[in-house]
Amino acid sequence: MTAATQPQRTGRVRRVGERQEALAGYAFIAVPMALFLVLNIGTTLYAFFISVWDWNVRTGPRSFLGLGNFERLLNDDIFLIAVKNSLYYTVIWVPLTMAIGLFLAVIVNQKIRGRTFFRAAFYFPAIASSAAITILWIFLVQPGGLFDEIRGALGLNPLFAAMGYGPTHNWMGDPATAMNSIIILNAWTTSGTFMLFYLAALQSISNDVYEAAAIDGAGAWQTFWRVTFPLLRPGHFFVATVGVIGALQLFDQVRIGGGPNGDPNNALMSVVLYLYNAAFIQVNLDYAAAVGVVLFLVIFAAPLVQRRIFGSGPAW
Amino acid sequence: MSTDPPAAAQRPPRAAVDQLAGRIPSLAETEDVGPVGDRSRAWRKRIAYALMIGYALLMFVPFAWTVITSFKTRADALRLEVIPDPFTLQGWEYTFARLDPSIVTLFINSALIATAVTVTNLVLGSLGGYAFARLRFPGREVLFVVVLATLMIPDQLRLVPVYVLFNNFGLTRDVGQYIGVILVLAISATSIFLLRQYFLSIPKDLEEAARIDGAGFFTTFYRVMLPLATPALAAVTILQFQGTWNGFFWPVILLRDRDHYTIPIGLLFFRESGGFSTNWPPLMAVVVIATIPILILYIFFQRYFVEGVAASGVKG
């Protein structure tokens, strides 16, 4: 009798326990999940919805546009300038910052005195807010600012003169140099972050391969280019992906440096700044939503393109 | 590392990592060394150190220059004097007495929003992270993928729908503005992910003992597991507080009234308000005030900054 009922009872107890555990699980995730579903998933779908309507801020949809906003984008000169600027920024900034980050990572990965200090120092510019550091940058590179003073004091002005820049050049005010100033600013602040990513990748390389390289008589230079660099491929892939996605989202620095119109002469107009401009300066919400949809699709596709460049990525 | 055995079990112990890192061949170590080599090696080392210290200084100089400039007179702001002459507190007096919105208001707004967002991420992140790590319920894996998928949605796509939604619910007016910013940042997938990974690394024995003693799911979580997760909670705290304190994108969109601005938005406002935009000493004082809280955190909790970045890198 007892032998027969025993399994049944524990079975029911277990089922009750499972149900309680499941209920507890749902209760634990209820609030965060609700927020994700409304503010992330819901708004994403809503963005696609808004982008195909003529949308009024207060009253909502007025008339159906279909892909009208997207067609308009393709013929919008300012949007095309924004795309060009964002691509230029991405193509220059990502490799530049990756190179600096890798260089710093290799340095602080060595057994040297003060390694912790150097790591902390190289990462330091990344802790400040984009607003504070952009204002600081504008101050440093303004005509006659610290940058101009220092290059003058170092006797570098003939070099700059050869490139066509006077002793007090308006780096942020000249359309030809404004975006490059932002590129240097962001390479400076973000190279520390990339250094940390590369450091993690460097430390995952087994010591055996270095021993093998040493036995084969490889020098340091050869070891780096023939062993370390190729073995870092998953690291390169990761940093490049994070970098490209971040670069396509360029906003804070150009909004602060160039105002809502990306001055001078649209030189700092990025895709995201254009989205912001469409929403709050032109007050054309559906058009802005369409820019967001394009950006989303590009960001979604970027890693797939990169995967083709770098070959198969790491397991994740 | 000694304070958090579960994480140590997951990764190679730090000593081993250091050892490995130290054995990666450097220029100095793989070189054939003769009596002459010794001397050139020592010199090379000195040059390498000089370059590294130079680069490290390059990281600090702009911030030092900010502090120095804040103590100069407006007329002297652009002069290349390392020690302000005359040394003046005018800039700081201006910052505290004449800004509108006042620096105190900005500081309180920043502190309020950053603290609230940090707390919501800790509470919701640990609840969600624990449930996804340890409680079994139908649909768990799917929902976790949904959480991670939100990382692929760029904030910019959500700009228009979030603004439209919040505008309809009064979250772009009065106190609603604070609530809007806090709500949109209330929980990030990174917080859930970090805490889930940490909970996964804690051995199940303690939890099972608590359950056998008759503790409910919440008591087990709150009394037993949460105290064990302190290192992960610290990493989330640093990551969220720093991110929100420095945040620009959502505040610039959702904070419409001056009195509700955070420091970064205040900086943008000051930059764009005519008479003040080139009054560098007080502007630099605001940059200093914007950076100091994070600088203090960085000095004391540097480890968590680095680990937070590394962990957010691992998630991919």
Side-chain angles (χ1 to χ4, degrees):
Chain A
M1 189 71 180
T2 45
T5 52
Q6 196 64 16
Q8 204 190 348
R9 212 153 98 208
T10 53
R12 194 160 71 225
V13 166
R14 197 184 299 131
R15 266 202 306 282
V16 169
E18 275 172 17
R19 230 186 74 208
Q20 278 177 338
E21 184 171 345
L23 285 176
Y26 292 130
F28 274 50
I29 63 163
V31 178
M33 219 55 222
L35 286 169
F36 281 123
L37 288 178
V38 174
L39 292 176
N40 293 82
I41 310 297
T43 52
T44 299
L45 300 173
Y46 201 21
F48 279 84
F49 183 72
I50 293 172
S51 73
V52 295
W53 289 87
D54 177 8
W55 195 278
N56 180 282
V57 187
R58 289 200 183 75
T59 57
R62 277 189 295 224
S63 60
F64 186 69
L65 294 179
L67 296 177
N69 274 327
F70 297 92
E71 275 168 38
R72 208 181 122 195
L73 273 177
L74 290 177
N75 298 308
D76 181 336
D77 289 340
I78 311 282
F79 176 70
L80 296 178
I81 290 173
V83 170
K84 202 193 85 201
N85 287 341
S86 280
L87 288 180
Y88 174 78
Y89 174 82
T90 306
V91 167
I92 306 290
W93 177 78
V94 174
L96 175 68
T97 313
M98 282 175 77
I100 302 172
L102 175 58
F103 182 72
L104 296 177
V106 169
I107 288 176
V108 299
N109 194 34
Q110 302 191 36
K111 203 169 196 167
I112 48 169
R113 210 176 299 155
R115 195 169 57 167
T116 319
F117 165 78
F118 286 115
R119 268 182 213 179
F122 297 163
Y123 183 69
F124 178 66
I127 69 165
S129 78
S130 53
I133 212 145
T134 307
I135 300 272
L136 163 57
W137 190 252
I138 292 168
F139 174 62
L140 292 181
V141 301
Q142 70 170 318
L146 186 67
F147 177 70
D148 282 348
E149 292 274 356
I150 286 180
R151 72 188 164 108
L154 292 176
L156 293 175
N157 278 343
L159 191 72
F160 281 94
M163 292 189 286
Y165 304 124
T168 57
H169 186 73
N170 191 350
W171 301 102
M172 292 291 293
D174 176 356
T177 54
M179 187 57 98
N180 290 333
S181 307
I182 297 292
I183 288 176
I184 295 170
L185 160 65
N186 286 353
W188 170 52
T189 55
T190 313
S191 51
T193 310
F194 283 13
M195 171 191 79
L196 292 181
F197 290 155
Y198 267 127
L199 207 52
L202 279 173
Q203 293 179 348
S204 70
I205 296 178
S206 156
N207 198 40
D208 299 351
V209 294
Y210 290 112
E211 277 171 6
I215 289 165
D216 289 347
W221 189 249
Q222 262 185 320
T223 308
F224 177 77
W225 284 110
R226 300 275 177 85
V227 179
T228 313
F229 194 80
L231 282 176
L232 278 175
R233 208 177 63 181
H236 297 314
F237 179 82
F238 174 74
V239 180
T241 306
V242 170
V244 167
I245 291 175
L248 293 171
Q249 295 178 300
L250 174 69
F251 174 71
D252 302 7
Q253 295 79 7
V254 290
R255 168 70 187 83
I256 296 161
N261 295 315
D263 295 330
N265 194 22
N266 295 319
L268 292 183
M269 181 61 89
S270 72
V271 171
V272 176
L273 184 57
Y274 192 64
L275 192 163
Y276 171 88
N277 186 295
F280 297 114
I281 307 296
Q282 306 169 35
V283 201
N284 193 342
L285 288 176
D286 46 292
Y287 198 49
V291 177
V293 168
V294 171
L295 183 76
F296 172 67
L297 296 177
V298 171
I299 285 178
F300 205 81
L304 304 176
V305 174
Q306 282 172 300
R307 203 166 284 253
R308 289 192 72 100
I309 297 172
F310 289 94
S312 60
W316 45 261
Chain B
M1 256 313 129
S2 55
T3 49
D4 43 14
Q10 209 184 10
R11 290 176 237 162
R14 183 147 295 186
V17 172
D18 282 357
Q19 200 188 6
L20 180 85
R23 271 154 69 191
I24 291 174
S26 66
L27 274 175
E29 280 165 22
T30 51
E31 210 67 23
D32 276 337
V33 203
V36 185
D38 258 344
R39 198 178 299 160
S40 80
R41 194 180 120 167
W43 270 106
R44 223 180 275 181
K45 207 169 175 181
R46 263 170 235 166
I47 292 168
Y49 263 102
L51 287 175
M52 283 168 66
I53 291 168
Y55 190 82
L57 280 178
L58 209 59
M59 302 291 105
F60 292 116
V61 161
F63 290 96
W65 197 247
T66 309
V67 176
I68 291 167
T69 304
S70 73
F71 291 109
K72 290 183 176 178
T73 63
R74 185 172 185 173
D76 283 350
L78 286 182
R79 294 180 56 187
L80 194 63
E81 290 161 342
V82 178
I83 295 162
D85 176 33
F87 180 95
T88 175
L89 290 173
Q90 278 170 14
W92 285 89
E93 279 165 13
Y94 191 109
T95 298
F96 278 97
R98 298 188 37 201
L99 291 184
D100 175 34
S102 84
I103 189 69
V104 176
T105 305
L106 295 177
F107 195 95
I108 290 173
N109 290 342
S110 276
L112 177 86
I113 291 175
T115 307
V117 168
T118 306
V119 169
T120 54
N121 269 282
L122 286 174
V123 173
L124 301 177
S126 55
L127 281 171
Y130 178 72
F132 283 123
R134 281 298 162 78
L135 299 176
R136 281 157 304 177
F137 51 90
R140 186 177 78 169
E141 309 309 319
V142 177
L143 290 173
F144 188 61
V145 169
V146 169
V147 170
L148 291 185
T150 64
L151 288 169
M152 296 172 70
I153 302 167
D155 278 350
Q156 295 81 12
L157 177 68
R158 296 157 57 207
L159 183 157
V160 171
V162 165
Y163 183 76
V164 167
L165 201 67
F166 284 11
N167 199 41
N168 289 341
F169 284 95
L171 296 180
T172 52
R173 289 179 290 279
D174 305 326
V175 180
Q177 297 169 82
Y178 294 130
I179 298 171
V181 174
I182 294 165
L183 205 57
V184 82
L185 297 170
I187 180 66
S188 89
T190 312
S191 304
I192 291 205
F193 180 80
L194 270 173
L195 285 155
R196 172 183 176 267
Q197 296 310 96
Y198 201 86
F199 282 123
L200 279 176
S201 72
I202 298 175
K204 284 191 175 169
D205 315 1
L206 283 167
E207 210 175 358
E208 276 162 9
R211 299 277 306 128
I212 289 164
D213 287 349
F217 290 102
F218 186 77
T219 312
T220 310
F221 159 74
Y222 187 72
R223 288 278 168 80
V224 180
M225 295 299 276
L226 208 52
L228 290 173
T230 315
L233 294 170
V236 170
T237 304
I238 297 289
L239 206 63
Q240 292 299 333
F241 190 86
Q242 184 217 9
T244 314
W245 180 272
N246 289 344
F248 185 78
F249 184 75
W250 289 115
V252 83
I253 284 150
L254 296 171
L255 303 176
R256 314 303 296 181
D257 301 337
R258 276 187 224 173
D259 287 344
H260 293 75
Y261 284 171
T262 56
I263 298 180
I265 313 309
L267 269 170
L268 174 69
F269 175 72
F270 296 143
R271 165 77 194 149
E272 294 185 343
S273 54
F276 189 64
S277 61
T278 52
N279 192 355
W280 295 110
L283 207 51
M284 290 299 115
V286 180
V287 169
V288 172
I289 294 168
T291 315
I292 275 185
I294 304 300
L295 180 65
I296 292 171
L297 282 181
Y298 188 59
I299 290 169
F300 287 103
F301 303 103
Q302 197 226 107
R303 202 187 101 194
Y304 293 111
F305 277 77
V306 173
E307 283 180 4
V309 172
S312 64
V314 173
K315 84 185 176 238

